[in-house]
Amino acid sequence: PNCKKNATLTELIQDIPNFGEALISNLHCAHCGYNFNDVMSSSTHKPVFFKAKIENENDLKIKIIKSSSSFVALPELEVEIFPSASSNGYISNIEGLLERIKESVHAISGKKAVEKLKQIEKAMNGKIPFTVELKDLYGHGALIGNNVEKKILSQKEISELKKLFEG
């Protein structure tokens, strides 16, 4: 952490159904409050793309494993979450993902933010359909549930994704 004091690293391996073993890490500094989480598969995977259409409240229960290397997009809600060195990983469901997005939007002020919050609320209540897409160059992220599409990224898609991260 920036305070340069010792932080506590906690790691555990957990078996996640339909995903396999995952390494869950947390780095926390009691002095300055710095907190970093990550989730990644404990084995190697190919670059993947997952897609789920969220059409009702039951679809909000689809699990998301978002690693620090995962790119997440909700096109209809105009939301994109890019991976970075400071990007936290987590295991949640789509409702939890929307809650995290809502918290981020709360940090922004203005008319557009208020409109975005209303849109996210409607999505959380199953009132508007939307899509969740997750791409991960290292295969550490996933969407798990019914009606989830999965495919291995082509070489062209990998190159496009790398350009997106570099830009």
Side-chain angles (χ1 to χ4, degrees):
N2 286 337
C3 72
K4 307 289 186 222
K5 302 214 174 167
N6 289 335
T8 303
L9 175 65
T10 307
E11 295 183 313
L12 69 101
I13 294 179
Q14 184 173 349
D15 188 36
I16 301 172
N18 303 311
F19 183 74
E21 285 188 347
L23 175 64
I24 302 170
S25 305
N26 172 262
L27 181 65
H28 179 74
C29 178
H31 305 282
C32 68
Y34 175 80
N35 199 46
F36 176 77
N37 297 300
D38 201 5
V39 178
M40 64 176 64
S41 173
S42 62
S43 56
T44 20
H45 294 281
K46 294 183 178 188
V48 290
F49 171 77
F50 290 89
K51 182 177 180 179
K53 187 74 175 162
I54 311 302
E55 298 177 312
N56 56 54
E57 287 188 53
N58 198 45
D59 292 337
L60 294 170
K61 296 175 185 170
I62 291 173
K63 297 275 184 250
I64 179 167
I65 300 171
K66 189 225 167 273
S67 76
S68 59
S69 60
S70 296
F71 169 76
V72 179
L74 292 77
E76 297 85 352
L77 301 179
E78 298 175 335
V79 171
E80 293 181 330
I81 303 167
F82 290 87
S84 71
S86 61
S87 177
N88 277 316
Y90 50 84
I91 300 171
S92 187
N93 56 25
I94 301 304
E95 185 175 15
L97 171 65
L98 290 172
E99 200 59 56
R100 286 171 183 267
I101 293 167
K102 202 165 99 175
E103 288 173 17
S104 294
V105 174
H106 272 294
I108 305 167
S109 61
K111 185 178 177 182
K112 189 160 178 132
V114 171
E115 290 172 12
K116 181 64 67 186
L117 286 170
K118 286 179 184 175
Q119 187 183 35
I120 293 168
E121 281 294 329
K122 286 181 183 177
M124 290 178 83
N125 293 322
K127 303 264 192 266
I128 56 171
F130 62 97
T131 307
V132 177
E133 299 175 350
L134 183 144
K135 297 176 185 177
D136 197 307
L137 288 173
Y138 307 105
H140 294 312
L143 295 176
I144 301 170
N146 295 332
N147 304 321
V148 173
E149 298 174 35
K150 175 188 177 184
K151 75 172 194 165
I152 304 301
L153 293 174
S154 68
Q155 208 53 50
K156 181 181 177 189
E157 291 168 319
I158 292 168
S159 295
E160 289 171 0
L161 193 56
K162 284 181 180 177
K163 285 179 191 172
L164 183 66
F165 296 159
E166 293 165 1

